[in-house]
Amino acid sequence: MEKAITKIVIVPSPGFSHLLSLIEFSKRLIQLSNALHITFLIPSLNSPSESSKSILKTLPSAIHATFLPPIHIDDLPEGTPIAAHLQLAVTRSLPFIRDALKSLSLTPNLAALVADLFASDSLICAKELNILSLIYCPSSAMTLSFCLFLPKLDQIVVPTTQFKDLHEPIQIPGCVPINGRDLLNPVQDRNSIVYELFLQKCKQLLHVDGIIVNSFKEIEQGPIKALIDETNGYPNVYPIGPIIQTDSTNSKNGSECLTWLNNQLPNSVLYVSFGSGGTLSQDQINELAFGLELSCQKFLWVVRAPNESSNFGYLNSHDDHDPFKFLPHGFIDRTKEQGFLVPYWAPQVQILSHNAIGGFISHCGWNSSLESIMNEIPIIAWPLFAEQKMNAVLLSDGIRVAIRPKGNEIGLVEKEEIGEVVTRVIEGDEGRELRERMKEMKNSAYETFQEGLSIETLVKLVVRV
């Protein structure tokens, strides 16, 4: 008799990086069980990006994706943080999510709804249909531990005090101590609507049926031990990492930069990229360009047009601007033998796995951090927004696979420091030591990945075998 198919619905939040992680997670689920069918219900702001549509075309037949009608948030005040955009997009998509779930429930075996952390409002629909409600946290276990701890921390710290003003580091359960200024962006202003929305999300976490986190105990033993400690009263936590992308879309930019890398020496090139949406100010672009030139090291730089908002590119596809015109005068000619410039996008999976790459200036998004570990690439930690400062603390102070530039009193990382740090990573003993630690992490990750025990447990929970 043919085994019944169990249906799972996944609701990501808008934005490419979270969608990407959930797609890789869903691929692993169906690899472990041929009795699953997965449906993505994707909230969107404006039209879906080309990168999102492109990757969805590669999905196996057991995974189906639907973009929900675009949500327009023109009524939000100018300057509303991106976190509020993400959460409101999901909240205003609830009628469409509810209708889609009701339609899916007309046939048997709708078992669970898995929601991204910023899409947790959709779990109300799971409760209405009496199916499992699960959260997917695409970031580190340290970030998840903070989210579950925040309701308590909010009660401990006097309401008139900002976390960034605390004199002592905050001790998140199981984690390295962290200064308040390095906590997630949404909690930096406790008087804001963004903080209230985020605090509400964290409280919701305590009432779900389970939480999936893209990490593994070999790199985050302390946080994961705290998360699964039954005395904390948390829901069941499933550390199922490392979930990373294994391929990326080909393009002219991609093939050209890979050809250039083929002509470079092993471990000799610094890769510079700030993720799918990170942007630098014009002043910082200038300092970075001069610093790379000053280092005399080979580099491959994914260049974006400048913007004072560090997350401007996260929900905005690149415009018609040539990003190279914002580089310092003469820089391209002076460094034509030293570096390779790519506008806006490059095939990061192939780049980080290339033997010419010896270091990575990274925004410390969790996807990029895991990809670095799996490819033994030392990190120069350059966080911009969201939880990236927390990841930078974990990478530099916790598992010690990164160097974090200090920057000056206004947060600008100057060319002299950039040149010095780049040289330390590419040529120095410090870089070799970081690479050795990365190798240890990679070997542990492969063992965890091959065993797949946590994700197999999750499949059994959902399928109820």
Side-chain angles (χ1 to χ4, degrees):
M1 184 177 176
E2 187 175 348
K3 192 170 184 179
I5 298 295
T6 297
K7 294 178 294 186
I8 300 173
V9 173
I10 295 180
V11 181
S13 58
F16 182 65
S17 59
H18 284 214
L19 174 63
L20 182 62
S21 184
L22 275 162
I23 285 173
E24 295 300 323
F25 163 67
S26 66
K27 287 179 180 178
R28 286 203 63 195
L29 279 179
I30 63 171
Q31 285 172 359
L32 286 167
S33 173
N34 58 9
L36 288 176
H37 186 276
I38 296 172
T39 298
F40 274 83
L41 301 176
I42 307 174
S44 56
L45 290 162
N46 305 315
S47 300
S49 68
E50 289 302 318
S51 53
S52 298
K53 290 189 287 188
S54 176
I55 196 168
L56 291 175
K57 291 178 182 177
T58 68
L59 293 177
S61 59
I63 304 174
H64 176 74
T66 297
F67 283 103
L68 300 175
I71 297 299
H72 300 286
I73 49 175
D74 302 334
D75 57 320
L76 292 182
E78 186 176 349
T80 300
I82 192 171
H85 287 211
L86 299 178
Q87 295 183 51
L88 286 172
V90 176
T91 302
R92 295 180 180 184
S93 295
L94 282 179
F96 308 118
I97 295 171
R98 183 174 282 109
D99 288 346
L101 282 171
K102 286 181 178 177
S103 178
L104 288 167
S105 69
L106 296 177
T107 55
N109 300 324
L110 177 61
L113 190 153
V114 180
D116 179 82
L117 180 61
F118 280 104
S120 59
D121 278 356
S122 64
L123 295 179
I124 189 173
C125 302
K127 296 295 185 183
E128 291 169 358
L129 292 172
N130 196 30
I131 59 176
L132 288 175
S133 59
L134 303 171
I135 285 286
Y136 181 85
C137 177
S139 194
S140 64
M142 179 180 182
T143 299
L144 176 58
S145 186
F146 171 73
C147 290
L148 289 166
F149 179 60
L150 180 59
K152 182 182 290 186
L153 182 66
D154 184 69
Q155 297 296 316
I156 295 172
V157 177
V158 190
T160 54
T161 302
Q162 299 287 4
F163 297 136
K164 63 184 178 182
D165 296 329
L166 295 174
H167 298 299
E168 297 296 326
I170 296 168
Q171 185 60 66
I172 303 167
C175 304
V176 294
I178 185 168
N179 292 315
R181 63 179 178 274
D182 283 329
L183 294 176
L184 293 83
N185 277 32
V187 306
Q188 290 301 323
D189 181 2
R190 295 178 73 194
N191 299 317
S192 69
I193 183 61
V194 174
Y195 177 78
E196 289 301 321
L197 285 170
F198 189 78
L199 179 61
Q200 185 60 36
K201 297 293 177 193
C202 294
K203 291 177 179 178
Q204 288 174 345
L205 290 177
L206 299 170
H207 304 289
V208 300
D209 294 315
I211 305 173
I212 307 151
V213 60
N214 187 13
S215 190
F216 57 106
K217 64 180 180 181
E218 285 76 11
I219 61 169
E220 294 199 88
Q221 187 170 1
I224 288 176
K225 183 178 180 181
L227 287 169
I228 63 177
D229 184 350
E230 294 182 358
T231 63
N232 283 329
Y234 297 157
N236 289 328
V237 173
Y238 303 91
I240 47 80
I243 299 290
I244 60 172
Q245 191 180 11
T246 53
D247 54 26
S248 55
T249 307
N250 291 324
S251 72
K252 181 181 177 182
N253 289 348
S255 60
E256 289 180 353
C257 72
L258 293 172
T259 299
W260 182 81
L261 284 175
N262 290 338
N263 295 317
Q264 309 306 317
L265 296 174
N267 301 324
S268 66
V269 178
L270 178 78
Y271 175 50
V272 185
S273 176
F274 297 94
S276 59
T279 48
L280 303 177
S281 67
Q282 181 64 71
D283 287 343
Q284 187 62 83
I285 285 177
N286 294 340
E287 292 296 323
L288 178 54
F290 290 133
L292 293 174
E293 185 178 357
L294 189 65
S295 75
C296 298
Q297 305 298 324
K298 294 292 184 76
F299 63 85
L300 193 166
W301 181 5
V302 183
V303 184
R304 288 180 179 273
N307 197 283
E308 293 299 322
S309 175
S310 62
N311 59 13
F312 178 77
Y314 190 75
L315 293 177
N316 298 276
S317 58
H318 62 76
D319 52 31
D320 294 330
H321 286 139
D322 172 10
F324 297 166
K325 73 179 184 181
F326 299 99
L327 296 171
H329 179 70
F331 171 78
I332 295 176
D333 289 335
R334 293 194 306 271
T335 60
K336 61 185 178 182
E337 300 299 325
Q338 180 186 353
F340 191 94
L341 303 174
V342 182
Y344 290 108
W345 182 91
Q348 181 161 296
V349 174
Q350 286 94 330
I351 290 172
L352 288 177
S353 63
H354 199 287
N355 68 354
I357 299 298
F360 181 13
I361 287 185
S362 172
H363 65 308
C364 300
W366 194 237
N367 289 341
S368 293
S369 301
L370 289 177
E371 288 166 5
S372 298
I373 291 171
M374 297 301 287
N375 288 288
E376 305 173 30
I377 307 298
I379 298 170
I380 296 173
W382 196 311
L384 296 177
F385 60 94
E387 87 288 10
Q388 293 164 12
K389 289 181 181 179
M390 290 189 68
N391 292 342
V393 171
L394 170 64
L395 294 167
S396 60
D397 300 348
I399 57 179
R400 303 191 307 281
V401 294
I403 298 173
R404 185 177 179 185
K406 293 183 174 63
N408 63 17
E409 65 277 2
I410 61 171
L412 192 73
V413 186
E414 297 175 318
K415 59 181 182 292
E416 294 83 5
E417 184 179 17
I418 294 168
E420 183 250 335
V421 169
V422 169
T423 302
R424 283 162 58 191
V425 167
I426 299 297
E427 284 190 350
D429 291 337
E430 194 169 4
R432 284 187 285 274
E433 291 170 4
L434 292 175
R435 199 169 291 111
E436 281 301 311
R437 284 194 56 76
M438 283 286 196
K439 186 174 183 178
E440 294 173 11
M441 298 292 175
K442 175 184 175 180
N443 292 338
S444 298
Y446 265 121
E447 291 176 12
T448 301
F449 187 85
Q450 293 299 326
E451 290 172 2
L453 296 179
S454 296
I455 201 165
E456 186 175 350
T457 301
L458 181 62
V459 170
K460 289 181 177 179
L461 168 70
V462 173
V463 181
R464 293 184 173 94
V465 294

